[in-house]
Amino acid sequence: MESSLVKALASLPHGPEFRFIDRLLSLDQGKHGVGEYLVRGDEPFLRGHFPGQPLMPGVLLVEAAAQLAGTVAQSDPEIAPLPGLRLTALRAVKILGSARPGEVIRLEAQVTGRLGNLVQVRASASIGGTVVLEAELTLSGSNTRATEQNAQRTS
């Protein structure tokens, strides 16, 4: 699955230093995915959040979920990838916990709908079976040609 992860992550605009997916456990292309991120403890953001008691910031849990959502959305074999895919809206976000160094965050993302250049996703994160994040995300791309092609395929 590692080569699938490399290929899937290549469709995201993030550099390696800002990726929050280490492993892709499953991928139902364009529909659903499960991934993991190990909070190593050496990430720069942990030095200030919080000194002596490092916690992964909740907004980065959302970012990790959005990255998996983008990976799932961009992997659909029947729909052209959306260049410039970005997180553009958040709904019903609940941050119920956080991760400490050494913990593995399990991420899940389910595409729930598409309309043109918009992708709706339900996402969650858990640690050791305990849910720490639930969210509804909207991603959008910027290429109008791909948007027109996708609208024709999904209508």
Side-chain angles (χ1 to χ4, degrees):
M1 191 62 76
E2 290 304 316
S3 64
S4 297
L5 175 62
V6 171
K7 183 177 177 185
L9 287 177
S11 68
L12 297 178
H14 308 84
E17 59 280 338
F18 199 73
R19 288 199 180 138
F20 298 103
I21 305 171
D22 293 326
R23 292 183 355 143
L24 194 57
L25 302 178
S26 69
L27 179 62
D28 184 0
Q29 294 182 325
K31 297 176 184 170
H32 180 264
V34 179
E36 288 182 340
Y37 177 71
L38 169 65
V39 182
R40 297 178 317 273
D42 63 349
E43 295 92 341
F45 57 81
L46 289 176
R47 286 193 298 267
H49 197 269
F50 296 97
Q53 297 179 335
L55 286 176
M56 183 158 179
V59 295
L60 293 182
L61 286 174
V62 174
E63 175 64 27
Q67 289 182 15
L68 179 62
T71 301
V72 173
Q74 298 289 60
S75 70
D76 195 317
E78 297 182 20
I79 299 176
L82 296 166
L85 190 67
R86 303 274 194 277
L87 175 63
T88 54
L90 305 168
R91 279 189 308 286
V93 175
K94 295 179 184 175
I95 299 171
L96 306 166
S98 193
R100 298 183 182 284
E103 293 182 324
V104 175
I105 302 167
R106 179 183 171 92
L107 303 156
E108 290 196 47
Q110 173 77 44
V111 173
T112 58
R114 288 180 177 261
L115 180 62
N117 70 332
L118 300 174
V119 182
Q120 296 282 81
V121 179
R122 184 174 302 117
S124 65
S126 60
I127 299 168
T130 301
V131 175
V132 295
L133 173 78
E134 296 175 340
E136 295 175 17
L137 311 173
T138 301
L139 309 173
S140 65
S142 58
N143 185 318
T144 56
R145 184 170 176 208
T147 300
E148 291 167 4
Q149 291 171 346
N150 291 340
Q152 289 172 355
R153 288 185 185 138
T154 58
S155 55

